[in-house]
Amino acid sequence: MSFDVDVVARRGEATVGARFVADDGLTVLVGASGAGKTSLLDMIAGLLRPVCGHVRVGGRTLFDADSGIDVPPEQRRAGYVFQDARLFPHRRVQANLLYGARDAARLAEVAATLDIAPLLRRWPRTLSGGEARRVAIGRALLSEPAFLLLDEPLSSLDPARREEAMRAIERVRDARAVPILMVTHDAAEAERLGDRVITIG
């Protein structure tokens, strides 16, 4: 199985955690705002240390409280797409895509999959929200991640841009190149995109 997660962490005064297993494909975690969805992704990526439990992805142990394993974030090979695209404003789209790329030769393939080839010479400030999200997903894919984490990738998009981003995520999902874990509060979005849907919180 791709994801085997059983973790608890403290963020401020709150205790957050989840327990689930999921196979390859796209797994969607659904929960209300404040349910700890982003904290869970942070624990899997290594940005938030659990107080107990374990994180295993693709059979590889990334964290295990009992044995003391805690793989540093930069060694987990997580492709993390945050709620905001976090593109470098001083780099054109192509340079953003290639930042941290392990295989620059895949640029054309990834750009075609996400329908962002016409954007390569553009500056981030000229992109719509949906275009910026697709570029962020492309940058994550070009880092050749072991797994992809999507944090509310469709939030704050108007209907047209939302549909563009959903189609791009579907193409990545259908390519089956990498296991994907996505979080959302939108049940309809989860049902459309997910190979499986897990409710947390």
Side-chain angles (χ1 to χ4, degrees):
M1 64 192 61
S2 288
F3 295 97
D4 177 359
V5 177
D6 183 0
V7 286
V8 173
R10 294 191 180 91
R11 185 155 250 175
E13 297 298 315
T15 298
V16 296
R19 180 180 184 180
F20 67 93
V21 294
D23 292 325
D24 287 339
L26 194 158
T27 300
V28 183
L29 302 181
V30 180
S33 296
K37 301 185 302 294
T38 296
S39 295
L40 179 59
L41 292 189
D42 286 350
M43 285 187 269
I44 295 170
L47 304 179
L48 175 64
R49 193 176 194 279
V51 295
C52 63
H54 65 261
V55 174
R56 301 185 185 103
V57 181
R60 180 186 177 210
T61 299
L62 303 180
F63 176 83
D64 188 277
D66 292 336
S67 63
I69 294 173
D70 188 7
V71 177
E74 65 275 13
Q75 295 177 20
R76 296 193 181 196
R77 292 190 56 206
Y80 199 155
V81 179
F82 299 90
Q83 289 187 33
D84 53 333
R86 300 193 184 186
L87 301 180
F88 297 111
H90 61 290
R91 295 174 181 263
R92 294 183 189 268
V93 165
Q94 180 168 322
N96 265 281
L97 287 164
L98 293 177
Y99 185 85
R102 291 173 180 264
D103 185 1
R106 293 188 60 223
L107 174 61
E109 171 198 341
V110 169
T113 297
L114 296 170
D115 195 24
I116 54 176
L119 309 178
L120 296 180
R121 298 301 301 161
R122 300 255 303 268
W123 295 99
R125 66 178 176 273
T126 71
L127 303 179
S128 70
E131 289 169 341
R133 298 287 173 83
R134 284 183 280 146
V135 172
I137 293 170
R139 182 171 62 185
L141 288 173
L142 283 167
S143 71
E144 291 198 342
F147 55 97
L148 192 61
L149 304 175
L150 305 179
D151 188 4
E152 298 274 7
L154 306 175
S155 65
S156 304
L157 297 181
D158 64 50
R161 301 299 174 256
R162 188 184 190 89
E163 181 62 28
E164 288 175 4
M166 287 183 83
R167 288 199 300 267
I169 293 169
E170 287 172 332
R171 289 193 292 271
V172 173
R173 175 200 65 196
D174 294 344
R176 285 295 193 271
V178 61
I180 305 169
L181 183 63
M182 170 179 154
V183 301
T184 182
H185 63 275
D186 188 312
E189 182 181 295
E191 288 295 335
R192 172 173 166 177
L193 294 173
D195 292 307
R196 67 202 57 80
V197 177
I198 299 170
T199 301
I200 66 171

